[in-house]
PDB file of all heavy atoms in Angstrom:
ATOM      1  N   ALA A  80     -19.177  12.274 -10.941  1.00  0.00           N
ATOM      2  CA  ALA A  80     -17.762  12.657 -10.989  1.00  0.00           C
ATOM      3  C   ALA A  80     -16.892  11.421 -11.170  1.00  0.00           C
ATOM      4  O   ALA A  80     -16.512  10.789 -10.189  1.00  0.00           O
ATOM      5  CB  ALA A  80     -17.375  13.401  -9.717  1.00  0.00           C
ATOM      6  N   PRO A  81     -16.580  11.061 -12.412  1.00  0.00           N
ATOM      7  CA  PRO A  81     -15.719   9.887 -12.631  1.00  0.00           C
ATOM      8  C   PRO A  81     -14.248  10.220 -12.338  1.00  0.00           C
ATOM      9  O   PRO A  81     -13.377  10.121 -13.186  1.00  0.00           O
ATOM     10  CB  PRO A  81     -15.939   9.573 -14.102  1.00  0.00           C
ATOM     11  CG  PRO A  81     -16.242  10.889 -14.717  1.00  0.00           C
ATOM     12  CD  PRO A  81     -16.976  11.682 -13.677  1.00  0.00           C
ATOM     13  N   LEU A  82     -14.005  10.671 -11.102  1.00  0.00           N
ATOM     14  CA  LEU A  82     -12.666  11.105 -10.735  1.00  0.00           C
ATOM     15  C   LEU A  82     -11.753   9.905 -10.527  1.00  0.00           C
ATOM     16  O   LEU A  82     -12.177   8.856 -10.069  1.00  0.00           O
ATOM     17  CB  LEU A  82     -12.723  11.937  -9.451  1.00  0.00           C
ATOM     18  CG  LEU A  82     -13.575  13.212  -9.524  1.00  0.00           C
ATOM     19  CD1 LEU A  82     -13.536  13.922  -8.179  1.00  0.00           C
ATOM     20  CD2 LEU A  82     -13.077  14.129 -10.628  1.00  0.00           C
ATOM     21  N   LEU A  83     -10.500  10.095 -10.849  1.00  0.00           N
ATOM     22  CA  LEU A  83      -9.513   9.039 -10.643  1.00  0.00           C
ATOM     23  C   LEU A  83      -9.047   9.095  -9.194  1.00  0.00           C
ATOM     24  O   LEU A  83      -7.938   9.507  -8.879  1.00  0.00           O
ATOM     25  CB  LEU A  83      -8.352   9.206 -11.616  1.00  0.00           C
ATOM     26  CG  LEU A  83      -8.744   9.291 -13.089  1.00  0.00           C
ATOM     27  CD1 LEU A  83      -7.484   9.326 -13.943  1.00  0.00           C
ATOM     28  CD2 LEU A  83      -9.624   8.128 -13.493  1.00  0.00           C
ATOM     29  N   VAL A  84      -9.918   8.677  -8.285  1.00  0.00           N
ATOM     30  CA  VAL A  84      -9.620   8.836  -6.867  1.00  0.00           C
ATOM     31  C   VAL A  84      -8.520   7.908  -6.406  1.00  0.00           C
ATOM     32  O   VAL A  84      -8.087   7.977  -5.263  1.00  0.00           O
ATOM     33  CB  VAL A  84     -10.887   8.594  -6.025  1.00  0.00           C
ATOM     34  CG1 VAL A  84     -11.940   9.613  -6.371  1.00  0.00           C
ATOM     35  CG2 VAL A  84     -11.418   7.178  -6.231  1.00  0.00           C
ATOM     36  N   LEU A  85      -8.043   7.025  -7.273  1.00  0.00           N
ATOM     37  CA  LEU A  85      -6.970   6.121  -6.879  1.00  0.00           C
ATOM     38  C   LEU A  85      -5.605   6.583  -7.360  1.00  0.00           C
ATOM     39  O   LEU A  85      -4.624   5.877  -7.210  1.00  0.00           O
ATOM     40  CB  LEU A  85      -7.242   4.708  -7.417  1.00  0.00           C
ATOM     41  CG  LEU A  85      -8.538   4.083  -6.945  1.00  0.00           C
ATOM     42  CD1 LEU A  85      -8.644   2.677  -7.504  1.00  0.00           C
ATOM     43  CD2 LEU A  85      -8.601   4.055  -5.445  1.00  0.00           C
ATOM     44  N   LEU A  86      -5.527   7.765  -7.953  1.00  0.00           N
ATOM     45  CA  LEU A  86      -4.233   8.234  -8.442  1.00  0.00           C
ATOM     46  C   LEU A  86      -3.311   8.542  -7.279  1.00  0.00           C
ATOM     47  O   LEU A  86      -3.722   9.050  -6.238  1.00  0.00           O
ATOM     48  CB  LEU A  86      -4.421   9.502  -9.299  1.00  0.00           C
ATOM     49  CG  LEU A  86      -5.193   9.317 -10.607  1.00  0.00           C
ATOM     50  CD1 LEU A  86      -5.169  10.610 -11.392  1.00  0.00           C
ATOM     51  CD2 LEU A  86      -4.598   8.191 -11.427  1.00  0.00           C
ATOM     52  N   ALA A  87      -2.023   8.240  -7.447  1.00  0.00           N
ATOM     53  CA  ALA A  87      -1.050   8.495  -6.386  1.00  0.00           C
ATOM     54  C   ALA A  87      -0.694   9.971  -6.341  1.00  0.00           C
ATOM     55  O   ALA A  87      -0.774  10.690  -7.334  1.00  0.00           O
ATOM     56  CB  ALA A  87       0.208   7.676  -6.633  1.00  0.00           C
ATOM     57  N   VAL A  88      -0.305  10.415  -5.159  1.00  0.00           N
ATOM     58  CA  VAL A  88       0.179  11.781  -4.990  1.00  0.00           C
ATOM     59  C   VAL A  88       1.614  11.861  -5.499  1.00  0.00           C
ATOM     60  O   VAL A  88       2.438  11.022  -5.177  1.00  0.00           O
ATOM     61  CB  VAL A  88       0.155  12.157  -3.489  1.00  0.00           C
ATOM     62  CG1 VAL A  88       0.539  13.612  -3.312  1.00  0.00           C
ATOM     63  CG2 VAL A  88      -1.224  11.904  -2.906  1.00  0.00           C
ATOM     64  N   PHE A  89       1.911  12.856  -6.294  1.00  0.00           N
ATOM     65  CA  PHE A  89       3.260  13.014  -6.818  1.00  0.00           C
ATOM     66  C   PHE A  89       4.065  13.900  -5.870  1.00  0.00           C
ATOM     67  O   PHE A  89       4.068  15.119  -5.972  1.00  0.00           O
ATOM     68  CB  PHE A  89       3.225  13.634  -8.225  1.00  0.00           C
ATOM     69  CG  PHE A  89       2.658  12.709  -9.249  1.00  0.00           C
ATOM     70  CD1 PHE A  89       1.455  12.981  -9.859  1.00  0.00           C
ATOM     71  CD2 PHE A  89       3.320  11.529  -9.565  1.00  0.00           C
ATOM     72  CE1 PHE A  89       0.937  12.105 -10.798  1.00  0.00           C
ATOM     73  CE2 PHE A  89       2.797  10.655 -10.496  1.00  0.00           C
ATOM     74  CZ  PHE A  89       1.601  10.942 -11.113  1.00  0.00           C
ATOM     75  N   LEU A  90       4.745  13.260  -4.924  1.00  0.00           N
ATOM     76  CA  LEU A  90       5.560  13.969  -3.950  1.00  0.00           C
ATOM     77  C   LEU A  90       7.004  13.526  -4.132  1.00  0.00           C
ATOM     78  O   LEU A  90       7.314  12.352  -3.996  1.00  0.00           O
ATOM     79  CB  LEU A  90       5.100  13.646  -2.521  1.00  0.00           C
ATOM     80  CG  LEU A  90       3.649  14.037  -2.185  1.00  0.00           C
ATOM     81  CD1 LEU A  90       3.327  13.562  -0.779  1.00  0.00           C
ATOM     82  CD2 LEU A  90       3.443  15.528  -2.302  1.00  0.00           C
ATOM     83  N   ALA A  91       7.863  14.459  -4.406  1.00  0.00           N
ATOM     84  CA  ALA A  91       9.259  14.099  -4.700  1.00  0.00           C
ATOM     85  C   ALA A  91      10.120  14.172  -3.450  1.00  0.00           C
ATOM     86  O   ALA A  91      11.191  14.755  -3.434  1.00  0.00           O
ATOM     87  CB  ALA A  91       9.810  15.031  -5.773  1.00  0.00           C
ATOM     88  N   PHE A  92       9.635  13.598  -2.330  1.00  0.00           N
ATOM     89  CA  PHE A  92      10.460  13.509  -1.131  1.00  0.00           C
ATOM     90  C   PHE A  92      10.157  12.189  -0.446  1.00  0.00           C
ATOM     91  O   PHE A  92       9.096  11.613  -0.626  1.00  0.00           O
ATOM     92  CB  PHE A  92      10.205  14.690  -0.193  1.00  0.00           C
ATOM     93  CG  PHE A  92       8.781  14.830   0.259  1.00  0.00           C
ATOM     94  CD1 PHE A  92       8.304  14.121   1.368  1.00  0.00           C
ATOM     95  CD2 PHE A  92       7.894  15.667  -0.414  1.00  0.00           C
ATOM     96  CE1 PHE A  92       7.007  14.258   1.788  1.00  0.00           C
ATOM     97  CE2 PHE A  92       6.583  15.791   0.011  1.00  0.00           C
ATOM     98  CZ  PHE A  92       6.136  15.103   1.109  1.00  0.00           C
ATOM     99  N   PRO A  93      11.091  11.675   0.366  1.00  0.00           N
ATOM    100  CA  PRO A  93      10.906  10.374   0.989  1.00  0.00           C
ATOM    101  C   PRO A  93       9.770  10.392   1.991  1.00  0.00           C
ATOM    102  O   PRO A  93       9.471  11.417   2.604  1.00  0.00           O
ATOM    103  CB  PRO A  93      12.246  10.110   1.689  1.00  0.00           C
ATOM    104  CG  PRO A  93      13.216  11.021   1.034  1.00  0.00           C
ATOM    105  CD  PRO A  93      12.420  12.231   0.635  1.00  0.00           C
ATOM    106  N   VAL A  94       9.139   9.237   2.183  1.00  0.00           N
ATOM    107  CA  VAL A  94       8.129   9.064   3.214  1.00  0.00           C
ATOM    108  C   VAL A  94       8.573   7.929   4.110  1.00  0.00           C
ATOM    109  O   VAL A  94       9.154   6.950   3.664  1.00  0.00           O
ATOM    110  CB  VAL A  94       6.744   8.751   2.602  1.00  0.00           C
ATOM    111  CG1 VAL A  94       6.226   9.949   1.846  1.00  0.00           C
ATOM    112  CG2 VAL A  94       6.807   7.546   1.677  1.00  0.00           C
ATOM    113  N   ALA A  95       8.327   8.070   5.408  1.00  0.00           N
ATOM    114  CA  ALA A  95       8.693   7.033   6.378  1.00  0.00           C
ATOM    115  C   ALA A  95       7.445   6.220   6.675  1.00  0.00           C
ATOM    116  O   ALA A  95       6.600   6.653   7.443  1.00  0.00           O
ATOM    117  CB  ALA A  95       9.236   7.671   7.643  1.00  0.00           C
ATOM    118  N   ALA A  96       7.321   5.072   6.042  1.00  0.00           N
ATOM    119  CA  ALA A  96       6.095   4.292   6.171  1.00  0.00           C
ATOM    120  C   ALA A  96       6.421   2.839   6.392  1.00  0.00           C
ATOM    121  O   ALA A  96       7.505   2.368   6.062  1.00  0.00           O
ATOM    122  CB  ALA A  96       5.230   4.441   4.916  1.00  0.00           C
ATOM    123  N   GLN A  97       5.476   2.117   6.991  1.00  0.00           N
ATOM    124  CA  GLN A  97       5.599   0.686   7.127  1.00  0.00           C
ATOM    125  C   GLN A  97       5.025  -0.028   5.916  1.00  0.00           C
ATOM    126  O   GLN A  97       5.349  -1.168   5.678  1.00  0.00           O
ATOM    127  CB  GLN A  97       4.858   0.227   8.380  1.00  0.00           C
ATOM    128  CG  GLN A  97       5.477   0.712   9.670  1.00  0.00           C
ATOM    129  CD  GLN A  97       6.891   0.295   9.809  1.00  0.00           C
ATOM    130  OE1 GLN A  97       7.785   1.124   9.804  1.00  0.00           O
ATOM    131  NE2 GLN A  97       7.140  -0.973   9.915  1.00  0.00           N
ATOM    132  N   ASN A  98       4.155   0.599   5.195  1.00  0.00           N
ATOM    133  CA  ASN A  98       3.483  -0.034   4.077  1.00  0.00           C
ATOM    134  C   ASN A  98       2.781   1.045   3.281  1.00  0.00           C
ATOM    135  O   ASN A  98       2.755   2.207   3.672  1.00  0.00           O
ATOM    136  CB  ASN A  98       2.477  -1.077   4.579  1.00  0.00           C
ATOM    137  CG  ASN A  98       2.419  -2.287   3.666  1.00  0.00           C
ATOM    138  OD1 ASN A  98       2.608  -2.163   2.467  1.00  0.00           O
ATOM    139  ND2 ASN A  98       2.179  -3.437   4.240  1.00  0.00           N
ATOM    140  N   THR A  99       2.200   0.685   2.149  1.00  0.00           N
ATOM    141  CA  THR A  99       1.403   1.617   1.373  1.00  0.00           C
ATOM    142  C   THR A  99       0.083   0.961   1.042  1.00  0.00           C
ATOM    143  O   THR A  99      -0.131  -0.229   1.281  1.00  0.00           O
ATOM    144  CB  THR A  99       2.110   2.007   0.058  1.00  0.00           C
ATOM    145  OG1 THR A  99       2.193   0.848  -0.776  1.00  0.00           O
ATOM    146  CG2 THR A  99       3.501   2.529   0.321  1.00  0.00           C
ATOM    147  N   ASP A 100      -0.832   1.745   0.488  1.00  0.00           N
ATOM    148  CA  ASP A 100      -2.156   1.220   0.175  1.00  0.00           C
ATOM    149  C   ASP A 100      -2.283   0.825  -1.298  1.00  0.00           C
ATOM    150  O   ASP A 100      -3.346   0.966  -1.886  1.00  0.00           O
ATOM    151  CB  ASP A 100      -3.237   2.226   0.559  1.00  0.00           C
ATOM    152  CG  ASP A 100      -3.033   3.582  -0.092  1.00  0.00           C
ATOM    153  OD1 ASP A 100      -1.994   3.769  -0.757  1.00  0.00           O
ATOM    154  OD2 ASP A 100      -3.894   4.452   0.056  1.00  0.00           O
ATOM    155  N   ILE A 101      -1.202   0.337  -1.895  1.00  0.00           N
ATOM    156  CA  ILE A 101      -1.325  -0.271  -3.220  1.00  0.00           C
ATOM    157  C   ILE A 101      -2.333  -1.417  -3.138  1.00  0.00           C
ATOM    158  O   ILE A 101      -2.294  -2.218  -2.206  1.00  0.00           O
ATOM    159  CB  ILE A 101       0.053  -0.757  -3.714  1.00  0.00           C
ATOM    160  CG1 ILE A 101       0.930   0.459  -4.064  1.00  0.00           C
ATOM    161  CG2 ILE A 101      -0.080  -1.665  -4.924  1.00  0.00           C
ATOM    162  CD1 ILE A 101       2.325   0.092  -4.491  1.00  0.00           C
ATOM    163  N   GLU A 102      -3.218  -1.487  -4.112  1.00  0.00           N
ATOM    164  CA  GLU A 102      -4.350  -2.405  -4.010  1.00  0.00           C
ATOM    165  C   GLU A 102      -3.954  -3.854  -3.760  1.00  0.00           C
ATOM    166  O   GLU A 102      -4.660  -4.593  -3.072  1.00  0.00           O
ATOM    167  CB  GLU A 102      -5.201  -2.319  -5.289  1.00  0.00           C
ATOM    168  CG  GLU A 102      -6.033  -1.058  -5.415  1.00  0.00           C
ATOM    169  CD  GLU A 102      -5.270   0.120  -6.001  1.00  0.00           C
ATOM    170  OE1 GLU A 102      -4.018   0.116  -5.958  1.00  0.00           O
ATOM    171  OE2 GLU A 102      -5.905   1.060  -6.479  1.00  0.00           O
ATOM    172  N   ALA A 103      -2.821  -4.289  -4.306  1.00  0.00           N
ATOM    173  CA  ALA A 103      -2.403  -5.682  -4.150  1.00  0.00           C
ATOM    174  C   ALA A 103      -2.195  -6.058  -2.697  1.00  0.00           C
ATOM    175  O   ALA A 103      -2.267  -7.239  -2.343  1.00  0.00           O
ATOM    176  CB  ALA A 103      -1.119  -5.935  -4.940  1.00  0.00           C
ATOM    177  N   LEU A 104      -1.949  -5.067  -1.813  1.00  0.00           N
ATOM    178  CA  LEU A 104      -1.685  -5.364  -0.408  1.00  0.00           C
ATOM    179  C   LEU A 104      -2.950  -5.395   0.426  1.00  0.00           C
ATOM    180  O   LEU A 104      -2.908  -5.750   1.609  1.00  0.00           O
ATOM    181  CB  LEU A 104      -0.711  -4.328   0.167  1.00  0.00           C
ATOM    182  CG  LEU A 104       0.639  -4.242  -0.562  1.00  0.00           C
ATOM    183  CD1 LEU A 104       1.490  -3.130   0.027  1.00  0.00           C
ATOM    184  CD2 LEU A 104       1.371  -5.570  -0.491  1.00  0.00           C
ATOM    185  N   SER A 105      -4.086  -5.035  -0.158  1.00  0.00           N
ATOM    186  CA  SER A 105      -5.341  -5.076   0.580  1.00  0.00           C
ATOM    187  C   SER A 105      -5.759  -6.515   0.834  1.00  0.00           C
ATOM    188  O   SER A 105      -5.768  -7.352  -0.062  1.00  0.00           O
ATOM    189  CB  SER A 105      -6.442  -4.360  -0.211  1.00  0.00           C
ATOM    190  OG  SER A 105      -7.692  -4.495   0.427  1.00  0.00           O
ATOM    191  N   GLY A 106      -6.114  -6.802   2.075  1.00  0.00           N
ATOM    192  CA  GLY A 106      -6.563  -8.146   2.418  1.00  0.00           C
ATOM    193  C   GLY A 106      -5.464  -9.172   2.462  1.00  0.00           C
ATOM    194  O   GLY A 106      -5.736 -10.367   2.624  1.00  0.00           O
ATOM    195  N   LEU A 107      -4.215  -8.747   2.349  1.00  0.00           N
ATOM    196  CA  LEU A 107      -3.098  -9.684   2.348  1.00  0.00           C
ATOM    197  C   LEU A 107      -2.941 -10.282   3.739  1.00  0.00           C
ATOM    198  O   LEU A 107      -2.842  -9.567   4.729  1.00  0.00           O
ATOM    199  CB  LEU A 107      -1.823  -8.966   1.933  1.00  0.00           C
ATOM    200  CG  LEU A 107      -0.618  -9.828   1.593  1.00  0.00           C
ATOM    201  CD1 LEU A 107      -0.900 -10.740   0.421  1.00  0.00           C
ATOM    202  CD2 LEU A 107       0.581  -8.932   1.277  1.00  0.00           C
ATOM    203  N   GLN A 108      -2.920 -11.606   3.822  1.00  0.00           N
ATOM    204  CA  GLN A 108      -2.831 -12.306   5.095  1.00  0.00           C
ATOM    205  C   GLN A 108      -1.440 -12.898   5.277  1.00  0.00           C
ATOM    206  O   GLN A 108      -0.957 -13.634   4.426  1.00  0.00           O
ATOM    207  CB  GLN A 108      -3.876 -13.422   5.156  1.00  0.00           C
ATOM    208  CG  GLN A 108      -5.313 -12.923   5.101  1.00  0.00           C
ATOM    209  CD  GLN A 108      -5.697 -12.152   6.352  1.00  0.00           C
ATOM    210  OE1 GLN A 108      -5.649 -12.672   7.452  1.00  0.00           O
ATOM    211  NE2 GLN A 108      -6.079 -10.905   6.168  1.00  0.00           N
ATOM    212  N   PHE A 109      -0.809 -12.560   6.399  1.00  0.00           N
ATOM    213  CA  PHE A 109       0.474 -13.136   6.743  1.00  0.00           C
ATOM    214  C   PHE A 109       0.284 -14.203   7.801  1.00  0.00           C
ATOM    215  O   PHE A 109      -0.526 -14.063   8.707  1.00  0.00           O
ATOM    216  CB  PHE A 109       1.433 -12.063   7.279  1.00  0.00           C
ATOM    217  CG  PHE A 109       1.847 -11.053   6.264  1.00  0.00           C
ATOM    218  CD1 PHE A 109       1.205  -9.827   6.182  1.00  0.00           C
ATOM    219  CD2 PHE A 109       2.865 -11.320   5.375  1.00  0.00           C
ATOM    220  CE1 PHE A 109       1.585  -8.889   5.243  1.00  0.00           C
ATOM    221  CE2 PHE A 109       3.251 -10.387   4.430  1.00  0.00           C
ATOM    222  CZ  PHE A 109       2.618  -9.171   4.362  1.00  0.00           C
ATOM    223  N   SER A 110       1.056 -15.270   7.691  1.00  0.00           N
ATOM    224  CA  SER A 110       1.044 -16.312   8.700  1.00  0.00           C
ATOM    225  C   SER A 110       2.490 -16.682   9.001  1.00  0.00           C
ATOM    226  O   SER A 110       3.277 -16.925   8.094  1.00  0.00           O
ATOM    227  CB  SER A 110       0.284 -17.553   8.217  1.00  0.00           C
ATOM    228  OG  SER A 110       0.316 -18.581   9.181  1.00  0.00           O
ATOM    229  N   PHE A 111       2.830 -16.698  10.285  1.00  0.00           N
ATOM    230  CA  PHE A 111       4.210 -16.945  10.694  1.00  0.00           C
ATOM    231  C   PHE A 111       4.274 -18.177  11.589  1.00  0.00           C
ATOM    232  O   PHE A 111       4.854 -18.163  12.666  1.00  0.00           O
ATOM    233  CB  PHE A 111       4.771 -15.719  11.411  1.00  0.00           C
ATOM    234  CG  PHE A 111       4.738 -14.478  10.565  1.00  0.00           C
ATOM    235  CD1 PHE A 111       3.733 -13.543  10.709  1.00  0.00           C
ATOM    236  CD2 PHE A 111       5.697 -14.262   9.598  1.00  0.00           C
ATOM    237  CE1 PHE A 111       3.693 -12.406   9.923  1.00  0.00           C
ATOM    238  CE2 PHE A 111       5.668 -13.126   8.802  1.00  0.00           C
ATOM    239  CZ  PHE A 111       4.662 -12.197   8.967  1.00  0.00           C
ATOM    240  N   GLY A 112       3.636 -19.263  11.150  1.00  0.00           N
ATOM    241  CA  GLY A 112       3.599 -20.482  11.932  1.00  0.00           C
ATOM    242  C   GLY A 112       4.945 -21.172  12.000  1.00  0.00           C
ATOM    243  O   GLY A 112       5.888 -20.867  11.265  1.00  0.00           O
ATOM    244  N   ASN A 113       5.035 -22.138  12.923  1.00  0.00           N
ATOM    245  CA  ASN A 113       6.267 -22.896  13.095  1.00  0.00           C
ATOM    246  C   ASN A 113       6.524 -23.801  11.896  1.00  0.00           C
ATOM    247  O   ASN A 113       5.591 -24.275  11.250  1.00  0.00           O
ATOM    248  CB  ASN A 113       6.187 -23.741  14.365  1.00  0.00           C
ATOM    249  CG  ASN A 113       6.115 -22.898  15.608  1.00  0.00           C
ATOM    250  OD1 ASN A 113       6.791 -21.888  15.715  1.00  0.00           O
ATOM    251  ND2 ASN A 113       5.281 -23.307  16.567  1.00  0.00           N
ATOM    252  N   PRO A 114       7.794 -24.086  11.592  1.00  0.00           N
ATOM    253  CA  PRO A 114       8.097 -24.999  10.488  1.00  0.00           C
ATOM    254  C   PRO A 114       7.855 -26.445  10.894  1.00  0.00           C
ATOM    255  O   PRO A 114       7.696 -26.778  12.068  1.00  0.00           O
ATOM    256  CB  PRO A 114       9.585 -24.746  10.240  1.00  0.00           C
ATOM    257  CG  PRO A 114      10.127 -24.309  11.566  1.00  0.00           C
ATOM    258  CD  PRO A 114       9.013 -23.530  12.209  1.00  0.00           C
ATOM    259  N   GLY A 115       7.849 -27.326   9.897  1.00  0.00           N
ATOM    260  CA  GLY A 115       7.747 -28.760  10.149  1.00  0.00           C
ATOM    261  C   GLY A 115       6.337 -29.291  10.016  1.00  0.00           C
ATOM    262  O   GLY A 115       5.384 -28.713  10.540  1.00  0.00           O
TER     263      GLY A 115
END
């Protein structure tokens, strides 16, 4: 089944989210160290 399992859901209403699972955000590392 060569299904396009990564296709987005077409929902025409707002969603309350902190983030999404767009591939570019996978494994993204944040660092909030002190300046200087």
Side-chain angles (χ1 to χ4, degrees):
L82 300 180
L83 306 185
V84 298
L85 301 182
L86 294 186
V88 185
F89 291 113
L90 299 176
F92 58 85
V94 293
Q97 293 303 114
N98 216 328
T99 66
D100 56 354
I101 289 177
E102 287 84 339
L104 302 176
S105 175
L107 192 61
Q108 297 292 301
F109 293 97
S110 178
F111 301 99
N113 295 320

